[in-house]
Amino acid sequence: MAKNGPITKSAAVRDRGVTMNDVANHAGVSRTTVSFVLNNRSTANISEETRKRIIESVQELGYRPNAGARALASQRSDWYGLVTEIVTAPFAVNVIKGAQDQAWLDRRFLLIAPSDQADAVGPNQGMEDAAIEKLLEQRVEGLLYAATFHRGVHVPKSAHEVPTVLINCFDADGKLPSIVPDERAGGRVAVERLLVAGHRRIGVINLDPQIPAAVGRLEGARDALAGAGLELDPELVVSGYATADGGYEAACEILDRYPKDERPTALFCLNDRMAMGAYDAIKERGLTIPGDIAVIGFDNQELIAAYLRPKLTTVALPFEKMGALGVRTLAALTAGQPITADQQLVDCPLLERSSV
């Protein structure tokens, strides 16, 4: 006799873990019949009354299917794996949100295995290999591989065992499909906005000149200027190397290089952190934004862009859309469907605030 009363048969079953045999015994049917009902076997000739009795037994006993066994039997787990270094990034976590939301719509679930935070070379390779192995052990149907910043990556060989899609990065070996931001179009829309506002002498605070974001965004800026019959003055392009301090120093260099009547009237900063530094340089010289100098950033790092004064007009990196498209692409691959391109570009929208 238990302290609070007798132990019922169903309670005792739950205590030791409910099996499919327990459900069959409780419902008075065979284990095979229970399996047919739980797996929605449409060809099985099972009455509605029997189905109802089995479902009621499942609910009363608290039975949960063994996902691992079901995956072995069906070769499907309904799980996608996401290996990523971005779980602590301030704004790139929207990749995870987009992927999770799309997976849920597709009745799939995301298993997330973080790799070590990336440095200048890349993530911790040993931790990344282990993360992929753990996901494969769970019999995921496919993998998403997401990076903090747009770059070429070498994906561990084990990732090739299942369909794999790269997000915000691309396969340096050219074997796996990828989803990346359209950096060139983003740079073009930023400078087009400045041109529409009447600016013709535009300075550019660049990232590390070698990385894909810098190359694409600068090409987009040149495209926009060429469309207006202008050329980008190389003297107005200075690298700030992605930091606020670098943006400050680059803005100082550009602003102090020219007399007042030759100074640029707008700055295109290739990320928001550099724009934040540029704000300080502009204000130190007694200039106003956007009255004397307009500023556009890139990334839409909200903790910066929305809280600068004036608020920063910027081009957003489409992390959430890239995550969702990654899942849709992976779903097509796991279903054996062809995909339209090895690399898919996602538009980077302009977000208007007050700095232009």
Side-chain angles (χ1 to χ4, degrees):
M1 185 77 76
K3 186 174 182 179
N4 295 319
I7 300 175
T8 64
K9 181 178 179 181
S10 59
V13 166
R14 280 195 295 270
D15 286 344
R16 65 171 170 76
V18 182
T19 68
M20 195 177 291
N21 283 331
D22 294 325
V23 174
N25 292 333
H26 191 274
V29 297
S30 69
R31 185 184 184 283
T32 300
T33 301
V34 173
S35 177
F36 284 169
V37 169
L38 296 183
N39 288 290
N40 294 315
R41 185 75 67 84
S42 58
T43 56
N45 187 21
I46 300 171
S47 70
E48 190 59 37
E49 189 277 332
T50 299
R51 289 179 184 274
K52 182 179 179 182
R53 193 165 71 249
I54 290 171
I55 296 303
E56 288 174 348
S57 295
V58 166
Q59 293 172 344
E60 182 177 340
L61 296 177
Y63 171 72
R64 289 187 177 87
N66 185 314
R70 185 170 60 185
L72 283 169
S74 66
Q75 297 301 306
R76 293 178 64 87
S77 65
D78 296 333
W79 297 336
Y80 294 148
L82 171 62
V83 59
T84 179
E85 69 205 17
I86 67 177
V87 291
T88 59
F91 56 107
V93 289
N94 285 329
V95 165
I96 297 175
K97 182 182 185 304
Q100 282 182 323
D101 289 349
Q102 184 63 48
W104 179 251
L105 289 175
D106 295 344
R107 302 180 68 83
R108 293 289 187 272
F109 297 91
L110 216 57
L111 293 179
I112 302 172
S115 62
D116 199 16
Q117 184 67 29
D119 55 24
V121 177
N124 181 311
Q125 194 63 55
M127 189 173 181
E128 185 177 85
D129 290 342
I132 291 175
E133 286 295 335
K134 283 296 181 183
L135 291 172
L136 294 175
E137 286 175 8
Q138 302 304 313
R139 304 189 68 82
V140 294
E141 294 184 40
L143 287 172
L144 300 168
Y145 181 105
T148 304
F149 63 94
H150 184 183
R151 65 182 190 273
V153 296
H154 294 280
V155 181
K157 291 181 179 179
S158 55
H160 294 259
E161 296 178 19
V162 294
T164 297
V165 176
L166 278 55
I167 301 175
N168 202 36
C169 56
F170 58 91
D171 184 7
D173 299 320
K175 297 179 181 178
L176 297 172
S178 61
I179 314 294
V180 296
D182 192 339
E183 309 279 12
R184 186 168 186 165
R188 183 168 57 248
V189 75
V191 173
E192 284 175 346
R193 176 66 185 90
L194 294 172
L195 291 167
V196 166
H199 300 283
R200 293 297 180 268
R201 190 160 172 75
I202 299 170
V204 177
I205 300 182
N206 201 5
L207 300 160
D208 180 333
Q210 306 305 316
I211 65 174
V215 173
R217 295 173 195 181
L218 198 58
E219 287 177 348
R222 289 194 178 99
D223 291 344
L225 289 167
L230 303 170
E231 292 185 3
L232 180 61
D233 184 349
E235 293 294 317
L236 289 176
V237 180
V238 178
S239 292
Y241 297 96
T243 68
D245 285 343
Y248 170 81
E249 292 168 2
C252 289
E253 182 176 339
I254 291 173
L255 296 175
D256 293 343
R257 182 178 291 169
Y258 303 98
K260 181 178 179 180
D261 58 347
E262 296 179 16
R263 194 167 51 206
T265 61
L267 292 177
F268 173 33
C269 303
L270 270 60
N271 79 4
D272 293 345
R273 291 190 298 276
M274 294 190 302
M276 180 169 63
Y279 265 48
D280 289 338
I282 292 167
K283 292 177 180 179
E284 279 183 0
R285 284 154 179 77
L287 304 173
T288 62
I289 304 168
D292 295 308
I293 298 182
V295 180
I296 281 187
F298 207 113
D299 286 351
N300 190 36
Q301 191 165 348
E302 191 171 356
L303 288 176
I304 295 174
Y307 293 98
L308 286 173
R309 294 295 180 268
K311 295 181 179 181
L312 178 67
T313 294
T314 187
V315 178
L317 281 171
F319 287 111
E320 194 166 330
K321 287 185 178 180
M322 287 193 292
L325 182 56
V327 169
R328 292 197 296 271
T329 303
L330 190 57
L333 289 173
T334 56
Q337 300 171 2
I339 58 174
T340 56
D342 291 336
Q343 185 174 94
Q344 299 179 70
L345 301 177
V346 182
D347 286 340
C348 301
L350 179 72
L351 298 183
E352 293 271 7
R353 293 194 177 97
S354 309
S355 62
V356 177

